[in-house]
Amino acid sequence: MVKARTPAWELKIGSNSYKLLKIDVLNFSSRINKHAVMNVKASLSGEKSDFEKILEVDRETQVTLLEKTTKETVSLFVGLVSHLNLDFRREIICIEMTVVSNTYTCDIKRDEKRAFQNKETTYGDLVDAVAGAGVCSTGDYADESIEE
């Protein structure tokens, strides 16, 4: 009789992977019009330097929960850190973390993409400006409006 091996669990935080020794809480939630969320409370194997690396994470740090078996490694959840509590005791890192799915980045407003518009500009003025800038110097257009 062949015994089924339980999978090994890893939490990848940024570029570092940590073996989960004990999982106290692990739940996933996904609701309509909400981002998927993973809550995990677990014990990780690690040293003081590992603890300090985890302390440096920010809201842009990628987190992946991995399930490893002898045949394959499966990503169960991938997302960004939303909430983090840490404690370090005798080479064991106690972590409580909320991770929100990467779709969260679609909702972040960035100042980099802004449009400036002059509401008084007509289409004709716009085409003249583009043609005058040499972007489309060979183009032609008709400026006619249809009135009823």
Side-chain angles (χ1 to χ4, degrees), residues 92-110:
I92 295 178
I93 301 168
C94 298
I95 189 167
E96 187 174 339
M97 178 183 279
T98 301
V99 181
V100 65
S101 65
N102 285 325
T103 58
Y104 173 76
T105 58
C106 297
D107 290 345
I108 297 174
K109 291 187 169 80
R110 302 203 186 261

Side-chain angles (χ1 to χ4, degrees), residues 129-140:
V130 171
V135 176
C136 185
S137 58
T138 61
D140 188 21

Side-chain angles (χ1 to χ4, degrees), residues 42-60:
S43 301
L44 314 175
S45 63
E47 300 174 0
K48 183 77 170 173
S49 61
D50 296 321
F51 175 76
E52 291 167 355
K53 287 177 193 173
I54 297 172
L55 278 176
E56 295 174 4
V57 304
D58 58 17
R59 291 187 180 267
E60 295 180 4

Side-chain angles (χ1 to χ4, degrees), residues 20-128:
L20 293 174
L21 300 175
K22 177 184 172 191
I23 300 172
D24 296 316
V25 174
L26 177 62
N27 63 48
F28 305 93
S29 66
S30 180
R31 288 180 261 175
I32 296 173
N33 294 328
K34 299 285 182 187
H35 301 289
V37 175
M38 174 183 72
N39 291 299
V40 61
K41 184 175 181 182
S43 301
L44 314 175
S45 63
E47 300 174 0
K48 183 77 170 173
S49 61
D50 296 321
F51 175 76
E52 291 167 355
K53 287 177 193 173
I54 297 172
L55 278 176
E56 295 174 4
V57 304
D58 58 17
R59 291 187 180 267
E60 295 180 4
T61 302
Q62 188 84 21
V63 176
T64 306
L65 178 64
L66 301 168
E67 180 184 39
K68 290 187 166 193
T69 63
T70 54
K71 295 181 181 180
E72 63 182 347
T73 299
V74 178
S75 295
L76 298 178
F77 193 89
V78 180
L80 303 170
V81 175
S82 172
H83 170 78
L84 176 67
N85 279 335
L86 287 174
D87 192 19
F88 182 72
R89 293 184 218 136
R90 298 186 192 142
E91 297 185 10
I92 295 178
I93 301 168
C94 298
I95 189 167
E96 187 174 339
M97 178 183 279
T98 301
V99 181
V100 65
S101 65
N102 285 325
T103 58
Y104 173 76
T105 58
C106 297
D107 290 345
I108 297 174
K109 291 187 169 80
R110 302 203 186 261
D111 292 334
E112 301 158 4
K113 298 177 184 175
R114 295 186 284 177
F116 297 95
Q117 300 175 18
N118 179 355
K119 293 181 181 179
E120 305 302 317
T121 302
T122 65
Y123 285 113
D125 294 339
L126 180 62
V127 172
D128 288 340

